[in-house]
Amino acid sequence: MGRKILLVEDDRTTADFILKGLAEHGHVGDHAANGRDGLFMATDGGYDAIVLDRMLPGMDGLAVLGALRAAGIETPAILLSALGSVDDRVTGLTAGSDDYLVKPFAFAELLARLELLMRRRGSGTHVETILTCATLRMDLLKREVKRGERAIDLQPREFRLLEYLLRHTDQVVTRTMLLEGVWDYHFDPGTNVIDVHISRLRRKVDADGDRPLIHTVRGAGYRLGE
């Protein structure tokens, strides 16, 4: 079922990109181009989630968040920003954001984070935020991945790819499934983008003599499992 999402973003190109992606996935996206309009709409629109740029004309994203939380409005919100230091992230989360995404970003990652926040809000029950396979462990909230005690540093697309594989542990996932679920492509771009990312991910996950977990299934796709 589609959700109603408010986007507060002053950059028209970025806004069009996000709104188009939301519509393609069945969601309804409303748009405000400045902080004051965004605050007004957020207090009156009954939204399932808010995507909020940090740097906005008139009233910045942090001020909008502060006003919403002070008014008792707990709509899940993701803060977008080109500021990506640890201090910047902490400031955004402390202001009342539920998540923080650094620009530039892949739409697939934004969508995955939105869906996680909305599931947590709508279910009223525990939502799985830890994914595991053998000694591999992914913490979706902390955005951390470990193989045993070894931390694995992943790029955003690699993280999304591994999350998809973990959600389909011991299942064969096809190239089409990966293109749609990780890259948000509904066509084959005719490149080796999947093979390149699988190769990079395999080097990180199956390193240091660990038993291989990422397997190629000839003529079918890939499988994560022992």
Side-chain angles (χ1 to χ4, degrees):
M1 179 182 292
R3 301 297 189 95
K4 188 176 181 182
I5 298 169
L6 174 63
L7 171 64
V8 189
E9 168 63 65
D10 63 316
D11 182 80
R12 189 70 237 187
T13 300
T14 301
D16 288 344
F17 166 72
I18 294 174
L19 291 170
K20 180 175 181 291
L22 291 174
E24 288 175 347
H25 285 80
H27 300 301
V28 176
D30 289 344
H31 176 232
N34 62 73
R36 294 189 184 281
D37 287 349
L39 177 60
F40 175 78
M41 294 171 69
T43 58
D44 191 48
Y47 293 98
D48 295 297
I50 302 170
V51 179
L52 179 66
D53 188 31
R54 178 166 176 169
M55 305 298 291
L56 292 166
M59 185 180 192
D60 70 21
L62 296 181
V64 172
L65 275 172
L68 288 174
R69 300 311 186 223
I73 297 171
E74 299 299 329
T75 307
I78 295 180
L79 199 62
L80 306 179
S81 178
L83 305 175
S85 72
V86 172
D87 287 344
D88 291 322
R89 293 172 185 266
V90 170
T91 299
L93 294 171
T94 302
S97 175
D98 297 277
D99 204 347
Y100 192 104
L101 189 57
V102 178
K103 296 179 178 181
F105 55 85
F107 179 78
E109 182 177 7
L110 172 62
L111 185 65
R113 294 190 182 204
L114 274 172
E115 290 177 345
L116 177 61
L117 289 179
M118 291 188 292
R119 284 201 304 271
R120 286 168 57 198
R121 183 199 189 199
S123 66
T125 59
H126 173 72
V127 175
E128 186 178 28
T129 59
I130 303 294
L131 303 177
T132 62
C133 176
T135 58
L136 182 64
R137 183 178 188 274
M138 172 180 281
D139 188 321
L140 294 172
L141 295 183
K142 293 182 179 179
R143 310 294 293 180
E144 293 178 349
V145 177
K146 287 186 175 182
R147 181 81 189 263
E149 296 301 316
R150 175 173 61 87
I152 301 176
D153 183 25
L154 298 179
Q155 297 298 315
R157 185 74 71 178
E158 295 169 346
F159 189 96
R160 181 73 184 100
L161 175 58
L162 182 58
E163 179 187 350
Y164 191 91
L165 292 173
L166 280 164
R167 292 189 183 280
H168 297 80
T169 296
D170 290 325
Q171 301 175 29
V172 175
V173 295
T174 66
R175 293 176 60 87
T176 298
M177 290 169 66
L178 291 174
L179 286 171
E180 292 184 349
V182 179
W183 276 266
D184 197 32
Y185 290 164
H186 298 283
F187 62 94
D188 190 337
T191 70
N192 65 342
V193 62
I194 292 177
D195 305 303
V196 169
H197 280 78
I198 286 285
S199 178
R200 291 175 181 169
L201 190 60
R202 182 180 275 134
R203 287 198 297 270
K204 294 181 179 183
V205 170
D206 295 335
D208 299 336
D210 291 323
R211 177 180 296 181
L213 292 178
I214 300 176
H215 308 279
T216 299
V217 181
R218 190 179 299 277
Y222 302 93
R223 179 178 66 83
L224 180 73
E226 294 187 275

